[in-house]
Amino acid sequence: MYCSIPDDKIFQQKPLWTKSSNFKLKSWTETVQGYLNEAQNLTTCLAHNRELTRRRYTWFLTIYVDVVMQPKAINDWWKKAARNLKRNGIVALWVREPTRTNKVHYHLLLSSFHSRVELEEIIEKSLPSRALGRWHKNFKPVDQKDGRLLRYITKAKTSGDTKAGIHVADLYRKKRLLFKSGLGIRKVGTIGNFWFKSRAFVWKDVIAREKRIAEGLTQKNIRRLAEHAFDFVCEYVPLEQIERSFGYYWDLPSTQLWIEQVFGQEDRSELKSSV
């Protein structure tokens, strides 16, 4: 079942960066640009899914397979593992990644609730026996303040500081490997009812929200109110975050009342001067 394939990598060593297209590039395997677009889409959906379900993500689990497998064996191994994890109550999104040693590992973002002891037991009894092929695991609670975790799981393009303290525009560039096309190896999947309704529904809701925010920011005094609030909180909250919030809730009575309180007197003065 397991074998060494030194000259037949499952990942692309020199992936195509982009290609001509009349449409936004997609696919996890055709181009790097397509991968980045897919990763950004998935990251956005993960963040919005958390809002829709009103439940926090609970555990971040990584499963490392320590042996080289052929593509069919990769699929068979994970199908058995995922089936058992679901049977034992795991609800999660998983992302499969190749490594430069031609092996694979899996990042799982759990939304089901388990104690550390319970999760340890579930993993050990759900995954195939190590006698059939070595594997090891690592898991930790999801830090809700860690805004970078979702982007790490998807390897979305993210600026940040390396461990050496160097600021880079694409923090995960060296970790981002593309599977070869045509291997039949799926990149992303779920265990149990992870999505609020479906990923397609979540994405449509994202589009609708972005449209509402964009329209809201064109309304009178909304951007001015955001700037006022930005100054009011002593620049502790990013201006973009404040703008998005006011753009979405622009028509709430409380928002309109605040506009009247802050800018109403000014507007009335301008009206009198014009008369």
Side-chain angles (χ1 to χ4, degrees):
M1 182 176 179
Y2 304 97
C3 67
S4 176
I5 46 175
D7 298 321
D8 189 14
K9 303 295 185 183
I10 60 175
F11 64 92
Q12 301 177 45
Q13 299 188 63
K14 294 182 179 180
L16 185 67
W17 171 256
T18 189
K19 66 178 182 180
S20 298
S21 175
N22 294 325
F23 304 97
K24 185 176 182 179
L25 293 177
K26 298 182 179 180
S27 173
W28 293 99
T29 59
E30 290 185 3
T31 63
V32 174
Q33 189 60 59
Y35 183 110
L36 292 175
N37 291 339
E38 291 282 7
Q40 182 59 47
N41 179 292
L42 180 56
T43 303
T44 303
C45 286
L46 288 172
H48 195 53
N49 186 64
R50 180 173 51 195
E51 295 179 20
L52 291 173
T53 58
R54 297 183 180 179
R55 294 187 306 182
R56 63 183 179 85
Y57 295 129
T58 54
W59 293 94
F60 172 47
L61 164 65
T62 301
I63 298 170
Y64 306 88
V65 181
D66 298 325
V67 291
V68 176
M69 298 182 184
Q70 293 283 7
K72 184 179 184 304
I74 291 173
N75 284 330
D76 290 345
W77 191 94
W78 183 243
K79 283 179 180 178
K80 180 178 180 181
R83 184 170 57 249
N84 290 339
L85 288 168
K86 180 179 180 180
R87 185 181 297 121
N88 286 296
I90 296 295
V91 178
L93 173 121
W94 58 264
V95 177
R96 178 190 276 137
E97 293 189 339
T99 70
R100 296 192 183 279
T101 57
N102 219 37
K103 301 168 186 176
V104 293
H105 60 254
Y106 301 85
H107 291 316
L108 282 78
L109 183 66
L110 276 64
S111 61
S112 48
F113 290 86
H114 313 275
S115 68
R116 178 176 290 275
V117 172
E118 180 186 15
L119 183 57
E120 173 85 31
E121 293 176 349
I122 289 175
I123 297 168
E124 288 297 325
K125 69 182 179 182
S126 297
L127 269 61
S129 170
R130 288 183 175 86
L132 301 176
R134 300 183 310 279
W135 57 268
H136 69 283
K137 65 184 184 300
N138 180 49
F139 61 92
K140 61 181 180 180
V142 173
D143 182 354
Q144 306 305 316
K145 297 180 181 179
D146 184 3
R148 190 177 289 178
L149 175 61
L150 301 185
R151 307 186 72 80
Y152 174 76
I153 292 173
T154 64
K155 299 300 182 290
K157 187 174 181 179
T158 307
S159 62
D161 296 332
T162 65
K163 292 181 179 179
I166 302 172
H167 189 80
V168 294
D170 190 356
L171 196 59
Y172 307 125
R173 181 178 63 84
K174 294 183 179 180
K175 291 180 175 291
R176 187 184 304 118
L177 295 179
L178 278 64
F179 280 109
K180 287 182 177 178
S181 299
L183 296 181
I185 299 177
R186 189 177 178 185
K187 176 67 177 178
V188 178
T190 58
I191 298 172
N193 297 321
F194 178 83
W195 295 110
F196 177 69
K197 286 188 177 179
S198 68
R199 181 176 167 183
F201 174 88
V202 172
W203 181 243
K204 286 181 179 179
D205 202 62
V206 168
I207 298 300
R209 185 177 71 167
E210 293 303 311
K211 181 180 179 181
R212 176 177 171 83
I213 291 172
E215 292 177 348
L217 289 174
T218 66
Q219 304 301 314
K220 184 178 180 181
N221 286 325
I222 290 297
R223 286 190 182 275
R224 290 179 67 195
L225 184 64
E227 292 172 358
H228 172 77
F230 182 61
D231 293 337
F232 185 77
V233 298
C234 301
E235 304 181 4
Y236 181 75
V237 180
L239 177 59
E240 181 183 4
Q241 181 177 334
I242 297 174
E243 285 181 334
R244 288 178 59 81
S245 179
F246 281 124
Y248 187 83
Y249 295 110
W250 73 271
D251 57 351
L252 284 184
S254 57
T255 304
Q256 292 301 313
L257 177 60
W258 197 0
I259 289 175
E260 173 65 21
Q261 291 173 339
V262 176
F263 305 116
Q265 186 63 44
E266 179 180 329
D267 290 343
R268 284 192 291 271
S269 297
E270 291 177 356
L271 180 61
K272 287 180 181 180
S273 63
S274 65
V275 174

